[in-house]
Amino acid sequence: MLRLDLITLARLAGAPIAGPRLPAKKIKGIAMTTDTMADTTTTTAHVPVNEAPAAEPTEQVYMLEQLLQRQRQAYLAAPISSYEQRVQDLKALGRMIREHQDEIVRAVNADYGNRSHHETLFAEIFPALDSIKDTIKRVKKWMKPQRRHIDFTAFPTSSTKVIPQPLGVVGVIVPWNFPVNLSFGPLINIFAAGNRAMVKMSGNSSTLAALLKRISGDYFPEDKLVFIEEAGGTGVEFSKLKFDHLIFTGSGATGRKVMASAAANLTPVTLELGGKSPAIVGPDFNIDTACERILFWKLFNAGQICTTVDYLLLPEDKVDAFVAKAKELFRKRYPDIQSPDYTAVIDEPSFRRLWKTLDDAAQKGATVIDLTDGQGSRDDAIQKFPAHLVLNVSEDMDIMQREIFGPLLPIKTYNNREEVAAYINKGDRPLAIYPFTNDKSLRDFYIDHVMSGGVSVNNAVLHVGQHDIPFGGVGESGMGHYHGYEGFITFSKLRPVFYQGPLDPLKFLMPPYGNVADKMMKLMLRLTK
């Protein structure tokens, strides 16, 4: 990176560089697989600096650096973005979505093979536009400097403030499962905080990425916002860029590599990962209502949601009723899985992985219940995976070892709340938990005794859609937050400022030290009692 930085700086300064000069042209795309399933990702291995000489920068790396430098120079020329400018940027994001809404929906559908039109509107378009509207209402208040307490004993007449200021240039690495929501969501906070952004899209979102790259220039200059397509094989370089902040959404395996790359530059990161988020149905809760809500989210986007219900914990006497209700609901909601309402699995490797996961469970003794009554095909060209319940699961099964990310719902039974808490806590901390109960003491027991990124009570996923609470993981499910005020803070530097007042007691504590200094220190220490 040192070699690359010197080249970049020299070129910016107009100095001649030995060797062939790379032509200046727009970036075609950058590759880093950000699929949520860790086993399906491949990235270039990192070579420690002291083990091999640095390779000559490729054309693509040079162009990434050039683009970053362009945004950074624009930031340095105007580091403080006014309230009016931030509102203008947020409104431009909104216009970009509204004026191309149909194209965006079609592009997402093309990338999936089949993505429910209504799911795209509900989970991608609506949240982005609603968040823009909410942020515009609040950003003026968020921007205000905060007066803080001053120690009057030591610093009479002085004052302090905390001033939220833009960080500069933020990198965004977007997964394929909700590519509109998970690109525009961070951008809303990034622009509210007054920053600039480079957004790296997933290879599985190639149609959408091409569209966003084509239209973004009509709303923003490249030194404010740029979308980068994936070209294959060089995406790791994106995470090596010296951003002022980097936000990544995807698998834990790739998240670790992103964090390692960012660490070389001490670039702070927000990691939104995944994990096995459970739903727990309490003995008191109506099983039909629980099934209606859990099944809706488990099958939404064919289960390809990082915060969906990964597995279900049920009292043993509730299993048969849940299975019966699930069969009834599925027949009513999806009489034909080839209809546009039932979303496809994103790609063939993911489709094959789900079949392998299901086969592994069956071979190891699980009871497999096909909710589609045999509609699914292993050779389905569109990759519609049939929804299944999986009972009598054991810990050695793949389905209980890793995030499922598909329409498979394993069900485990339990006897008491302590058993539930112990089971969840022995694994990685999940991105969410979903207790279903009207018993406040039981609800609070799970909130107090099971740590997770977030919680939705008597439903699933919905905490993610609230504008005024943060979203983020904990431990293996991620770090940092965005959404709402916490997102604004994530992409801001809270700048502490001390203003010296007319009186300066420190002049009595300056060398050479003597009786005055002794008396001053005694007085100050006495006042601390």
Side-chain angles (χ1 to χ4, degrees):
M1 292 300 295
L2 177 60
R3 161 74 173 160
L4 179 57
D5 288 342
L6 291 173
I7 289 174
T8 304
L9 291 171
R11 281 187 171 141
L12 287 169
I17 304 297
R21 188 177 182 89
L22 298 170
K25 60 182 181 181
K26 289 192 175 182
I27 301 168
K28 290 183 179 178
I30 310 303
M32 171 181 283
T33 303
T34 56
D35 298 347
T36 302
M37 301 314 304
D39 290 355
T40 64
T41 65
T42 55
T43 54
T44 306
H46 295 275
V47 179
V49 174
N50 59 353
E51 289 187 9
E56 287 295 319
T58 64
E59 178 180 354
Q60 207 159 45
V61 170
Y62 165 64
M63 295 305 294
L64 271 179
E65 284 281 356
Q66 185 183 61
L67 184 53
L68 175 61
Q69 291 298 331
R70 193 180 308 153
Q71 290 207 355
R72 177 149 293 128
Q73 290 301 319
Y75 160 75
L76 292 173
I80 302 300
S81 179
S82 68
Y83 164 71
E84 291 76 16
Q85 180 62 56
R86 298 181 198 202
V87 170
Q88 180 180 322
D89 291 340
L90 290 167
K91 288 182 176 180
L93 278 179
R95 289 198 311 276
M96 184 174 167
I97 296 171
R98 290 183 190 281
E99 292 172 6
H100 298 276
Q101 177 177 306
D102 292 343
E103 291 176 85
I104 290 171
V105 171
R106 286 195 297 269
V108 174
N109 183 69
D111 287 329
Y112 265 86
N114 177 75
R115 205 323 171 72
S116 165
H117 173 84
H118 291 87
E119 289 181 356
T120 300
L121 291 176
F122 175 61
E124 306 253 39
I125 303 298
F126 169 74
L129 292 174
D130 199 44
S131 180
I132 290 169
K133 178 182 176 182
D134 184 77
T135 302
I136 289 173
K137 290 180 181 178
R138 300 176 186 270
V139 69
K140 191 170 187 176
K141 180 180 178 181
W142 296 347
M143 291 175 63
K144 288 182 178 179
Q146 307 165 18
R147 287 193 173 275
R148 296 294 181 92
H149 173 73
I150 191 79
D151 184 352
F152 187 79
T153 302
F155 310 103
T157 73
S158 296
S159 62
T160 59
K161 284 183 181 178
V162 173
I163 305 174
Q165 292 186 331
L167 289 173
V169 183
V170 179
V172 185
I173 300 177
V174 184
W176 50 262
N177 59 329
F178 289 97
V180 180
N181 190 326
L182 296 175
S183 55
F184 283 84
L187 282 173
I188 292 164
N189 288 152
I190 290 165
F191 284 171
N195 298 289
R196 298 165 189 274
M198 294 169 60
V199 182
K200 190 305 195 166
M201 303 296 288
S202 167
N204 277 333
S205 303
S206 58
T207 309
L208 177 66
L211 171 64
L212 295 179
K213 182 179 178 180
R214 174 174 62 81
I215 66 177
S216 62
D218 295 335
Y219 302 87
F220 299 97
E222 278 194 341
D223 64 10
K224 169 68 77 169
L225 173 64
V226 64
F227 287 88
I228 298 168
E229 298 173 89
E230 183 173 319
T234 57
V236 71
E237 301 299 338
F238 188 88
S239 64
K240 288 182 179 180
L241 294 173
K242 196 171 184 178
F243 291 114
D244 298 296
H245 196 100
L246 179 62
I247 179 169
F248 165 83
T249 305
S251 74
T254 306
R256 285 175 168 84
K257 294 175 182 177
V258 168
M259 189 172 181
S261 293
N265 294 315
L266 294 181
T267 297
V269 294
T270 297
L271 301 179
E272 301 299 347
L273 308 177
K276 298 186 73 63
S277 299
I280 312 119
V281 177
D284 67 299
F285 200 82
N286 181 277
I287 198 67
D288 286 357
T289 302
C291 188
E292 288 172 0
R293 296 172 185 175
I294 290 168
L295 203 66
F296 171 75
W297 286 113
K298 187 60 183 179
L299 300 182
F300 194 96
N301 204 44
Q304 298 166 114
I305 312 176
C306 60
T307 50
T308 196
V309 176
D310 189 88
Y311 64 97
L312 174 61
L313 292 160
L314 276 179
E316 193 159 354
D317 62 353
K318 302 278 189 180
V319 173
D320 290 344
F322 186 93
V323 171
K325 185 64 176 180
K327 290 179 177 178
E328 174 193 330
L329 287 171
F330 192 89
R331 285 193 295 268
K332 180 180 179 181
R333 293 174 180 175
Y334 305 104
D336 180 3
I337 66 171
Q338 295 303 328
S339 79
D341 290 343
Y342 194 76
T343 294
V345 172
I346 188 64
D347 58 19
E348 186 175 0
S350 299
F351 187 66
R352 297 300 171 200
R353 173 186 55 76
L354 288 169
W355 280 112
K356 182 179 177 182
T357 300
L358 188 63
D359 291 343
D360 173 79
Q363 291 164 10
K364 292 176 179 175
T367 301
V368 173
I369 299 173
D370 183 357
L371 296 179
T372 72
D373 294 325
Q375 289 188 54
S377 169
R378 293 173 186 257
D379 299 317
D380 187 349
I382 305 178
Q383 293 146 193
K384 297 285 189 86
F385 193 89
H388 284 73
L389 303 180
V390 185
L391 312 182
N392 304 314
V393 293
S394 57
E395 296 310 300
D396 63 331
M397 296 175 183
D398 290 346
I399 201 168
M400 299 307 296
Q401 291 294 314
R402 56 177 288 168
E403 185 177 8
I404 297 166
F405 228 66
L408 301 175
L409 180 61
I411 299 175
K412 288 181 67 72
T413 60
Y414 71 89
N415 296 311
N416 56 65
R417 67 185 193 176
E418 289 78 15
E419 179 187 353
V420 169
Y423 177 78
I424 300 171
N425 286 335
K426 76 178 182 180
D428 293 342
R429 287 177 164 179
L431 189 53
I433 61 168
Y434 303 120
F436 285 75
T437 179
N438 294 315
D439 182 336
K440 292 182 179 180
S441 65
L442 181 59
R443 174 200 69 192
D444 293 343
F445 174 85
Y446 288 129
I447 293 174
D448 292 343
H449 289 81
V450 180
M451 176 55 70
S452 66
V455 185
S456 287
V457 177
N458 294 341
N459 216 316
V461 182
L462 292 177
H463 65 287
V464 181
Q466 310 310 306
H467 300 313
D468 203 26
I469 59 175
F471 169 65
V474 60
E476 292 82 357
S477 60
M479 63 178 67
H481 298 91
Y482 71 111
H483 291 189
Y485 177 68
E486 284 76 12
F488 173 84
I489 295 300
T490 290
F491 300 115
S492 298
K493 167 59 181 171
L494 295 184
R495 197 101 175 266
V497 181
F498 172 83
Y499 300 89
Q500 177 63 56
L503 298 181
D504 184 10
L506 289 182
K507 68 182 179 180
F508 299 110
L509 292 174
M510 296 178 181
Y513 301 116
N515 290 334
V516 174
D518 290 343
K519 291 178 181 179
M520 278 292 296
M521 285 308 308
K522 287 179 181 179
L523 174 62
M524 292 172 69
L525 291 171
R526 188 163 59 246
L527 291 173
T528 64
K529 293 181 180 180

